[in-house]
Coordinates of all heavy atoms in Angstrom, one line a residue:
M2 N 18.3 36.1 -5.6 CA 18.5 34.8 -4.9 C 19.7 34.1 -5.5 O 19.8 34.0 -6.8 CB 17.2 33.9 -4.9 CG 17.5 32.6 -4.2 SD 16.3 31.3 -4.5 CE 15.0 31.8 -3.4
G3 N 20.6 33.4 -4.8 CA 21.6 32.7 -5.3 C 21.3 31.3 -5.8 O 20.1 30.9 -5.8
N4 N 22.3 30.7 -6.3 CA 22.1 29.2 -6.8 C 22.6 28.3 -5.8 O 23.0 27.2 -6.3 CB 22.8 29.1 -8.1 CG 22.0 29.7 -9.3 OD1 20.8 29.9 -9.1 ND2 22.7 30.0 -10.4
E5 N 22.4 28.5 -4.5 CA 22.9 27.7 -3.5 C 21.8 27.1 -2.7 O 20.7 27.7 -2.5 CB 23.9 28.3 -2.6 CG 25.2 28.7 -3.3 CD 26.2 29.4 -2.4 OE1 25.7 30.0 -1.4 OE2 27.4 29.4 -2.8
L6 N 22.0 25.9 -2.1 CA 21.2 25.2 -1.1 C 22.0 24.9 0.1 O 23.0 24.2 0.0 CB 20.5 24.0 -1.7 CG 19.6 23.2 -0.8 CD1 18.4 24.0 -0.3 CD2 19.1 21.9 -1.5
H7 N 21.7 25.4 1.2 CA 22.5 25.2 2.4 C 21.7 24.3 3.3 O 20.6 24.5 3.7 CB 22.7 26.6 3.2 CG 23.6 27.5 2.4 ND1 24.9 27.8 2.8 CD2 23.4 28.2 1.3 CE1 25.4 28.6 2.0 NE2 24.5 28.9 1.1
I8 N 22.3 23.1 3.6 CA 21.7 22.1 4.5 C 22.5 22.0 5.7 O 23.7 21.8 5.6 CB 21.6 20.7 3.7 CG1 20.9 20.9 2.4 CG2 20.9 19.8 4.7 CD1 21.1 19.8 1.5
S9 N 21.9 22.2 6.9 CA 22.6 22.3 8.1 C 21.8 21.5 9.1 O 20.7 21.3 9.1 CB 22.8 23.7 8.6 OG 23.4 24.5 7.6
S10 N 22.6 21.1 10.1 CA 22.0 20.5 11.3 C 22.5 21.1 12.6 O 23.7 21.6 12.7 CB 22.2 19.0 11.4 OG 23.6 18.7 11.6
L11 N 21.6 21.2 13.5 CA 21.9 21.9 14.8 C 21.5 20.9 15.9 O 20.6 20.1 15.8 CB 21.0 23.1 15.0 CG 21.0 24.1 13.9 CD1 19.9 25.2 14.3 CD2 22.3 24.7 13.7
V12 N 22.2 21.0 17.0 CA 21.7 20.4 18.3 C 21.3 21.6 19.2 O 22.1 22.5 19.4 CB 22.8 19.6 19.0 CG1 22.4 19.1 20.3 CG2 23.2 18.4 18.1
V13 N 20.1 21.5 19.6 CA 19.5 22.6 20.4 C 19.3 22.1 21.8 O 18.6 20.9 21.9 CB 18.2 23.1 19.9 CG1 17.5 24.2 20.7 CG2 18.4 23.7 18.4
Q14 N 19.7 22.7 22.8 CA 19.5 22.4 24.2 C 18.6 23.3 24.7 O 18.7 24.5 24.8 CB 20.9 22.4 25.0 CG 20.6 22.1 26.5 CD 20.4 20.6 26.7 OE1 21.0 19.7 26.2 NE2 19.2 20.3 27.4
A15 N 17.4 22.8 25.3 CA 16.3 23.6 25.8 C 16.0 23.1 27.2 O 16.3 22.0 27.6 CB 15.1 23.4 24.9
R16 N 15.3 23.9 27.9 CA 14.8 23.6 29.3 C 13.8 22.5 29.0 O 12.8 22.6 28.1 CB 14.1 24.7 29.9 CG 15.0 25.9 30.2 CD 14.4 27.0 31.1 NE 15.2 28.1 31.2 CZ 16.3 28.3 31.9 NH1 16.7 27.2 32.7 NH2 16.9 29.4 31.9
P17 N 13.8 21.4 29.7 CA 12.9 20.3 29.4 C 11.4 20.7 29.6 O 10.6 20.2 28.9 CB 13.2 19.3 30.5 CG 14.8 19.5 30.8 CD 14.9 21.0 30.6
S18 N 11.2 21.7 30.4 CA 9.8 22.2 30.7 C 9.3 22.9 29.5 O 8.1 23.1 29.3 CB 9.7 23.0 31.9 OG 10.5 24.1 31.8
S19 N 10.1 23.4 28.6 CA 9.8 24.2 27.4 C 9.9 23.4 26.2 O 9.6 23.9 25.1 CB 10.7 25.4 27.4 OG 10.5 26.2 28.5
L20 N 10.2 22.1 26.2 CA 10.5 21.3 25.1 C 9.4 21.3 24.0 O 9.7 21.6 22.8 CB 10.9 19.9 25.4 CG 11.5 19.0 24.4 CD1 12.7 19.6 23.8 CD2 11.7 17.6 24.9
L21 N 8.2 21.0 24.4 CA 7.2 21.0 23.4 C 6.9 22.3 22.7 O 6.7 22.4 21.5 CB 5.8 20.4 24.0 CG 5.9 19.0 24.4 CD1 4.6 18.6 25.1 CD2 6.0 18.1 23.2
M22 N 6.9 23.4 23.5 CA 6.7 24.7 22.9 C 7.8 25.1 21.9 O 7.6 25.6 20.8 CB 6.7 25.7 24.0 CG 6.5 27.1 23.5 SD 6.7 28.5 24.8 CE 8.4 28.3 25.2
I23 N 9.0 24.8 22.3 CA 10.2 25.1 21.5 C 10.2 24.3 20.2 O 10.5 24.8 19.1 CB 11.6 25.0 22.3 CG1 11.6 26.1 23.4 CG2 12.7 25.0 21.3 CD1 12.7 25.9 24.3
S24 N 10.0 22.9 20.4 CA 9.8 22.1 19.2 C 8.9 22.5 18.2 O 9.1 22.6 17.0 CB 9.6 20.7 19.7 OG 9.5 19.8 18.6
G25 N 7.7 22.9 18.6 CA 6.7 23.5 17.8 C 7.2 24.8 17.1 O 6.9 25.0 15.9
A26 N 7.8 25.7 17.9 CA 8.2 27.0 17.3 C 9.2 26.8 16.3 O 9.2 27.4 15.2 CB 8.7 27.9 18.4
I27 N 10.2 25.9 16.5 CA 11.3 25.6 15.5 C 10.6 25.0 14.3 O 11.0 25.4 13.1 CB 12.3 24.7 16.1 CG1 13.1 25.5 17.2 CG2 13.3 24.2 15.1 CD1 14.1 24.6 18.0
A28 N 9.7 24.0 14.4 CA 9.2 23.4 13.3 C 8.3 24.3 12.4 O 8.1 24.2 11.2 CB 8.2 22.2 13.7
A29 N 7.9 25.4 13.0 CA 7.1 26.4 12.3 C 8.0 27.4 11.5 O 7.5 28.2 10.6 CB 6.2 27.3 13.2
L30 N 9.3 27.4 11.7 CA 10.1 28.3 11.0 C 10.3 27.7 9.6 O 10.4 26.6 9.3 CB 11.6 28.3 11.6 CG 11.7 29.0 13.0 CD1 13.1 28.8 13.6 CD2 11.4 30.5 12.9
P31 N 10.4 28.6 8.6 CA 10.6 28.2 7.1 C 11.9 27.5 7.0 O 13.0 27.9 7.5 CB 10.7 29.6 6.4 CG 10.0 30.5 7.3 CD 10.3 30.1 8.7
G32 N 11.9 26.3 6.4 CA 13.0 25.5 6.1 C 13.6 24.7 7.3 O 14.6 24.2 7.2
A33 N 12.8 24.6 8.4 CA 13.3 24.0 9.6 C 12.5 22.7 9.9 O 11.3 22.7 9.7 CB 13.2 24.9 10.7
E34 N 13.2 21.6 10.3 CA 12.5 20.4 10.7 C 13.2 19.9 11.9 O 14.4 19.9 12.1 CB 12.6 19.3 9.7 CG 11.9 19.6 8.3 CD 12.1 18.4 7.4 OE1 11.9 17.3 7.7 OE2 12.4 18.8 6.2
V35 N 12.3 19.5 13.0 CA 12.8 18.8 14.2 C 12.8 17.3 13.9 O 11.8 16.7 13.6 CB 12.0 19.1 15.4 CG1 12.6 18.5 16.6 CG2 12.0 20.7 15.6
H36 N 14.1 16.7 13.8 CA 14.2 15.3 13.5 C 14.2 14.4 14.7 O 13.8 13.2 14.6 CB 15.3 15.1 12.6 CG 15.2 15.4 11.2 ND1 14.6 14.6 10.3 CD2 15.3 16.6 10.6 CE1 14.5 15.2 9.1 NE2 14.9 16.4 9.3
A37 N 14.6 14.9 15.8 CA 14.6 14.1 17.1 C 14.6 15.0 18.3 O 15.0 16.2 18.1 CB 15.9 13.2 17.1
Q38 N 14.1 14.5 19.4 CA 14.1 15.2 20.6 C 14.2 14.2 21.8 O 13.7 13.1 21.7 CB 13.0 16.2 20.8 CG 11.6 15.5 20.8 CD 10.5 16.6 20.6 OE1 10.7 17.7 20.2 NE2 9.3 16.2 21.1
S39 N 14.7 14.7 22.9 CA 14.8 13.9 24.1 C 14.2 14.6 25.2 O 14.1 15.8 25.2 CB 16.2 13.5 24.4 OG 16.8 14.4 25.4
E40 N 13.6 13.8 26.2 CA 12.9 14.5 27.2 C 13.8 15.2 28.1 O 13.5 16.0 29.0 CB 12.2 13.4 28.1 CG 13.1 12.3 28.6 CD 12.2 11.1 29.2 OE1 11.2 10.7 28.5 OE2 12.6 10.6 30.2
L41 N 15.2 15.1 27.9 CA 16.1 15.9 28.7 C 16.4 17.3 28.1 O 17.1 18.1 28.6 CB 17.5 15.1 28.7 CG 17.5 13.8 29.4 CD1 18.9 13.1 29.2 CD2 17.1 14.0 30.8
G42 N 15.6 17.6 26.9 CA 15.6 18.9 26.4 C 16.6 19.0 25.1 O 16.8 20.2 24.7
K43 N 17.0 18.0 24.6 CA 17.9 18.1 23.4 C 17.1 17.9 22.2 O 16.2 16.9 22.1 CB 19.0 17.1 23.4 CG 20.1 17.5 24.5 CD 21.3 16.7 24.4 CE 22.2 17.1 25.4 NZ 23.5 16.4 25.5
L44 N 17.3 18.7 21.1 CA 16.6 18.4 19.8 C 17.6 18.4 18.7 O 18.7 19.2 18.7 CB 15.7 19.7 19.5 CG 14.5 19.9 20.6 CD1 14.9 21.0 21.5 CD2 13.3 20.3 19.9
V45 N 17.4 17.6 17.7 CA 18.1 17.7 16.5 C 17.3 18.3 15.4 O 16.2 17.9 15.1 CB 18.5 16.3 16.0 CG1 19.2 16.2 14.7 CG2 19.4 15.5 17.1
V46 N 17.9 19.5 14.9 CA 17.1 20.3 13.9 C 17.9 20.3 12.6 O 19.1 20.5 12.6 CB 17.0 21.7 14.5 CG1 16.3 22.6 13.5 CG2 16.3 21.7 15.8
V47 N 17.2 20.2 11.5 CA 17.8 20.3 10.2 C 17.2 21.5 9.5 O 16.0 21.8 9.6 CB 17.5 19.1 9.3 CG1 18.0 19.3 7.8 CG2 18.2 17.9 9.8
L48 N 18.1 22.4 9.0 CA 17.7 23.6 8.2 C 18.0 23.5 6.8 O 19.2 23.1 6.5 CB 18.4 24.9 8.9 CG 18.2 25.2 10.3 CD1 19.0 26.3 10.7 CD2 16.7 25.5 10.6
D49 N 17.1 23.8 5.9 CA 17.4 23.9 4.5 C 17.1 25.3 4.1 O 15.9 25.7 4.0 CB 16.5 23.0 3.7 CG 16.7 21.5 4.0 OD1 17.9 21.1 4.2 OD2 15.7 20.7 3.9
V50 N 18.0 26.1 3.8 CA 17.9 27.5 3.5 C 18.7 27.9 2.2 O 19.6 27.1 1.7 CB 18.3 28.4 4.7 CG1 17.4 28.2 5.8 CG2 19.8 28.2 5.1
E51 N 18.6 29.1 1.7 CA 19.1 29.5 0.5 C 20.5 30.2 0.6 O 21.1 30.5 -0.4 CB 18.1 30.4 -0.3 CG 17.9 31.8 0.2 CD 17.0 31.8 1.4 OE1 16.4 30.8 1.8 OE2 16.8 32.9 1.9
S52 N 20.9 30.6 1.8 CA 22.2 31.3 1.9 C 22.7 31.2 3.3 O 22.0 30.9 4.2 CB 21.9 32.8 1.5 OG 21.1 33.4 2.6
T53 N 24.0 31.6 3.5 CA 24.5 31.7 4.9 C 23.9 32.8 5.7 O 23.6 32.6 6.9 CB 26.0 31.9 4.8 OG1 26.3 33.2 4.1 CG2 26.8 30.8 4.2
A54 N 23.4 33.8 5.0 CA 22.6 34.8 5.8 C 21.3 34.3 6.4 O 21.0 34.5 7.5 CB 22.3 36.0 4.9
A55 N 20.7 33.5 5.6 CA 19.4 32.9 6.0 C 19.7 31.8 7.1 O 18.9 31.7 8.2 CB 18.7 32.2 4.9
L56 N 20.8 31.1 7.1 CA 21.2 30.2 8.1 C 21.5 30.9 9.4 O 21.0 30.5 10.4 CB 22.5 29.4 7.6 CG 23.0 28.5 8.7 CD1 22.1 27.4 9.2 CD2 24.3 27.9 8.2
S57 N 22.2 32.0 9.3 CA 22.5 32.8 10.5 C 21.2 33.3 11.2 O 21.1 33.3 12.3 CB 23.5 33.9 10.1 OG 23.8 34.7 11.2
E58 N 20.3 33.8 10.3 CA 19.1 34.3 10.8 C 18.2 33.3 11.5 O 17.7 33.5 12.6 CB 18.3 35.0 9.5 CG 16.9 35.5 10.0 CD 16.1 36.0 8.8 OE1 16.7 36.5 7.8 OE2 14.8 35.8 8.9
R59 N 18.1 32.1 10.9 CA 17.4 31.0 11.6 C 18.0 30.6 12.9 O 17.4 30.5 13.9 CB 17.2 29.8 10.7 CG 16.5 29.9 9.4 CD 15.0 30.1 9.6 NE 14.3 30.1 8.3 CZ 14.4 31.2 7.6 NH1 14.9 32.3 7.9 NH2 13.7 31.2 6.4
M60 N 19.3 30.6 12.9 CA 20.0 30.2 14.1 C 19.7 31.2 15.2 O 19.5 31.0 16.4 CB 21.5 30.0 13.9 CG 21.8 28.7 13.2 SD 23.6 28.3 13.1 CE 24.0 28.1 14.8
D61 N 19.8 32.5 14.8 CA 19.6 33.6 15.8 C 18.1 33.4 16.3 O 17.9 33.7 17.5 CB 19.7 35.0 15.1 CG 21.2 35.4 15.0 OD1 22.0 34.7 15.7 OD2 21.5 36.3 14.2
Q62 N 17.2 33.2 15.4 CA 15.8 33.0 15.9 C 15.7 31.9 16.9 O 14.9 32.1 17.9 CB 14.9 32.8 14.7 CG 14.7 33.9 13.8 CD 13.9 33.5 12.4 OE1 14.2 32.5 11.9 NE2 12.9 34.3 12.1
I63 N 16.3 30.9 16.6 CA 16.2 29.7 17.6 C 16.9 30.0 18.9 O 16.4 29.8 20.0 CB 16.8 28.4 16.9 CG1 16.0 27.9 15.7 CG2 17.1 27.3 17.9 CD1 16.7 26.9 14.9
Q64 N 18.0 30.7 18.8 CA 18.8 30.9 20.1 C 18.1 31.9 21.0 O 18.2 31.9 22.1 CB 20.2 31.5 19.7 CG 21.1 30.4 19.2 CD 22.4 30.9 18.7 OE1 22.7 32.0 18.4 NE2 23.4 30.0 18.7
K65 N 17.2 32.8 20.3 CA 16.6 33.8 21.1 C 15.2 33.4 21.6 O 14.6 34.1 22.3 CB 16.3 35.1 20.2 CG 17.7 35.8 19.9 CD 17.5 37.0 19.0 CE 18.8 37.7 18.8 NZ 18.7 38.8 17.9
M66 N 14.9 32.1 21.3 CA 13.6 31.6 21.8 C 13.6 31.4 23.4 O 14.7 30.9 23.9 CB 13.2 30.3 21.2 CG 12.8 30.4 19.7 SD 12.4 28.7 19.0 CE 12.1 29.3 17.4
A67 N 12.6 31.8 24.1 CA 12.5 31.6 25.5 C 12.6 30.1 25.8 O 12.0 29.3 25.2 CB 11.2 32.1 26.1
G68 N 13.5 29.7 26.7 CA 13.8 28.3 27.1 C 14.8 27.7 26.4 O 15.3 26.6 26.7
V69 N 15.4 28.2 25.3 CA 16.6 27.7 24.6 C 17.8 28.1 25.4 O 18.1 29.3 25.7 CB 16.6 28.2 23.1 CG1 17.9 27.8 22.5 CG2 15.5 27.6 22.3
L70 N 18.6 27.0 25.6 CA 19.9 27.3 26.4 C 21.0 27.5 25.4 O 22.0 28.3 25.6 CB 20.1 26.2 27.4 CG 19.1 25.9 28.4 CD1 19.3 24.7 29.1 CD2 18.8 27.1 29.3
S71 N 21.0 26.7 24.3 CA 22.0 26.8 23.3 C 21.6 26.1 22.0 O 20.7 25.3 21.9 CB 23.3 26.1 23.8 OG 23.1 24.7 23.8
A72 N 22.2 26.7 20.9 CA 21.9 26.0 19.6 C 23.3 25.9 18.9 O 24.0 27.0 18.6 CB 21.0 26.9 18.8
S73 N 23.8 24.7 18.7 CA 25.1 24.5 18.1 C 25.0 23.9 16.7 O 24.3 22.9 16.5 CB 25.9 23.6 19.1 OG 26.0 24.0 20.3
L74 N 25.8 24.5 15.8 CA 25.9 24.1 14.4 C 26.8 22.8 14.5 O 27.9 22.8 15.0 CB 26.5 25.1 13.5 CG 26.6 24.8 12.1 CD1 25.2 24.6 11.4 CD2 27.4 25.9 11.3
V75 N 26.2 21.7 13.8 CA 26.9 20.4 13.9 C 27.4 20.1 12.5 O 28.5 19.5 12.3 CB 26.1 19.3 14.4 CG1 26.7 18.0 14.3 CG2 25.7 19.6 15.8
F76 N 26.7 20.4 11.4 CA 26.9 20.1 10.0 C 26.4 21.2 9.2 O 25.3 21.9 9.4 CB 26.2 18.9 9.8 CG 26.3 18.4 8.3 CD1 27.5 17.8 7.8 CD2 25.3 18.7 7.4 CE1 27.5 17.4 6.5 CE2 25.4 18.3 6.1 CZ 26.5 17.6 5.6
H77 N 27.2 21.6 8.1 CA 26.8 22.6 7.1 C 27.3 22.1 5.8 O 28.5 22.0 5.6 CB 27.3 24.0 7.6 CG 26.9 25.0 6.6 ND1 27.7 26.1 6.3 CD2 25.8 25.1 5.8 CE1 27.1 26.9 5.5 NE2 26.0 26.3 5.1
H78 N 26.4 21.9 4.9 CA 26.7 21.5 3.5 C 26.1 22.5 2.5 O 25.0 23.0 2.6 CB 26.2 20.1 3.2 CG 26.4 19.7 1.8 ND1 27.5 19.3 1.3 CD2 25.5 19.6 0.8 CE1 27.4 18.9 0.0 NE2 26.2 19.1 -0.3
V79 N 26.9 22.9 1.5 CA 26.4 23.8 0.4 C 26.5 23.0 -0.9 O 27.5 22.5 -1.2 CB 27.3 25.1 0.4 CG1 26.7 26.1 -0.7 CG2 27.3 25.8 1.7
E80 N 25.4 23.2 -1.7 CA 25.5 22.7 -3.0 C 24.8 23.6 -4.0 O 24.0 24.4 -3.5 CB 24.9 21.2 -3.0 CG 23.4 21.1 -2.7 CD 22.9 19.7 -2.7 OE1 23.5 18.8 -2.0 OE2 21.9 19.4 -3.4
E81 N 25.1 23.4 -5.2 CA 24.4 24.2 -6.2 C 22.9 23.7 -6.3 O 22.6 22.5 -6.3 CB 25.1 24.0 -7.6 CG 24.4 24.8 -8.6 CD 25.5 25.7 -9.3 OE1 26.6 25.7 -8.9 OE2 25.0 26.3 -10.4
A82 N 22.0 24.6 -6.3 CA 20.6 24.2 -6.3 C 20.1 24.1 -7.8 O 20.4 25.0 -8.6 CB 19.8 25.3 -5.5
S83 N 19.4 23.0 -8.0 CA 18.9 22.8 -9.3 C 17.6 23.7 -9.3 O 17.1 24.2 -8.3 CB 18.5 21.4 -9.6 OG 17.4 21.1 -8.7
D84 N 17.0 23.9 -10.5 CA 15.9 24.8 -10.6 C 14.7 24.1 -9.7 O 14.0 24.9 -9.0 CB 15.4 24.9 -12.0 CG 16.3 25.8 -12.8 OD1 17.0 26.6 -12.2 OD2 16.3 25.7 -14.1
A85 N 14.6 22.8 -9.8 CA 13.5 22.2 -9.0 C 13.7 22.4 -7.5 O 12.8 22.7 -6.8 CB 13.4 20.7 -9.4
S86 N 14.9 22.2 -7.0 CA 15.1 22.2 -5.6 C 15.0 23.7 -5.2 O 14.6 24.0 -4.1 CB 16.5 21.6 -5.1 OG 17.5 22.4 -5.8
R87 N 15.5 24.6 -5.9 CA 15.4 26.1 -5.7 C 13.9 26.5 -5.6 O 13.6 27.2 -4.6 CB 16.1 26.9 -6.7 CG 16.5 28.2 -6.3 CD 17.5 28.9 -7.2 NE 17.2 28.7 -8.6 CZ 18.0 28.1 -9.5 NH1 19.1 27.5 -9.0 NH2 17.6 27.9 -10.7
D88 N 13.1 26.0 -6.5 CA 11.7 26.3 -6.5 C 11.0 25.7 -5.2 O 10.2 26.4 -4.6 CB 11.0 25.8 -7.7 CG 11.4 26.5 -9.0 OD1 11.9 27.6 -8.8 OD2 11.1 26.1 -10.1
A89 N 11.4 24.5 -4.8 CA 10.9 23.9 -3.6 C 11.2 24.7 -2.4 O 10.4 24.9 -1.5 CB 11.3 22.5 -3.5
L90 N 12.5 25.2 -2.4 CA 13.0 26.0 -1.3 C 12.2 27.3 -1.2 O 11.9 27.7 -0.1 CB 14.5 26.2 -1.4 CG 15.1 27.0 -0.3 CD1 15.0 26.1 1.0 CD2 16.6 27.2 -0.6
V91 N 12.0 27.9 -2.3 CA 11.3 29.2 -2.3 C 9.8 28.9 -1.7 O 9.3 29.8 -1.0 CB 11.2 29.8 -3.7 CG1 10.2 31.0 -3.7 CG2 12.5 30.3 -4.1
L92 N 9.2 27.8 -2.1 CA 7.9 27.5 -1.5 C 7.8 27.4 0.0 O 6.9 27.8 0.7 CB 7.3 26.3 -2.2 CG 6.9 26.5 -3.7 CD1 6.5 25.1 -4.3 CD2 5.9 27.5 -3.9
Q93 N 8.9 26.8 0.5 CA 9.1 26.6 1.9 C 9.2 27.9 2.7 O 8.7 28.1 3.7 CB 10.3 25.7 2.3 CG 10.1 24.3 2.0 CD 11.4 23.5 2.3 OE1 12.4 24.1 2.8 NE2 11.4 22.2 2.1
C94 N 10.0 28.9 2.1 CA 10.2 30.1 2.8 C 9.1 31.0 2.6 O 8.6 31.7 3.2 CB 11.5 30.8 2.2 SG 13.0 29.8 2.4

């Protein structure tokens, strides 16, 4: 495992009829949190992962969910992970 922490945000557009199911499925992914959603089907998602590969994998998982129309990366920040934050990240994954 590297010494990096990748913090990213996405805007996910989903079918409004699938919003609750998709929101729950995203929240169940390791390192993912749904911070906001609208009844029109938009969700703001934050991902905390250990690598660009993990970020890509999470985005692929979200984009392939039934009812998801798109998932767009809005923000991506990389920082050196301290031992404490790295341990917390491992526990999430």
Side-chain angles (χ1 to χ4, degrees):
M2 177 195 279
N4 280 340
E5 295 179 337
L6 178 60
H7 293 252
I8 304 165
S9 304
S10 64
L11 313 171
V12 172
V13 177
Q14 179 68 53
R16 295 187 192 284
S18 60
S19 303
L20 187 61
L21 289 176
M22 179 189 67
I23 292 168
S24 179
I27 290 173
L30 293 173
E34 292 181 49
V35 177
H36 281 271
Q38 60 188 23
S39 93
E40 57 192 41
L41 298 176
K43 291 189 180 181
L44 299 101
V45 175
V46 177
V47 173
L48 299 175
D49 295 326
V50 295
E51 71 281 357
S52 66
T53 53
L56 172 60
S57 181
E58 179 183 326
R59 293 291 182 282
M60 286 187 65
D61 283 346
Q62 289 174 315
I63 292 169
Q64 289 175 335
K65 291 178 182 176
M66 290 179 180
V69 170
L70 304 173
S71 67
S73 302
L74 182 66
V75 176
F76 174 81
H77 180 209
H78 174 75
V79 181
E80 63 183 52
E81 182 126 353
S83 68
D84 289 339
S86 64
R87 199 170 41 250
D88 291 345
L90 183 62
V91 169
L92 291 175
Q93 288 179 357
C94 297

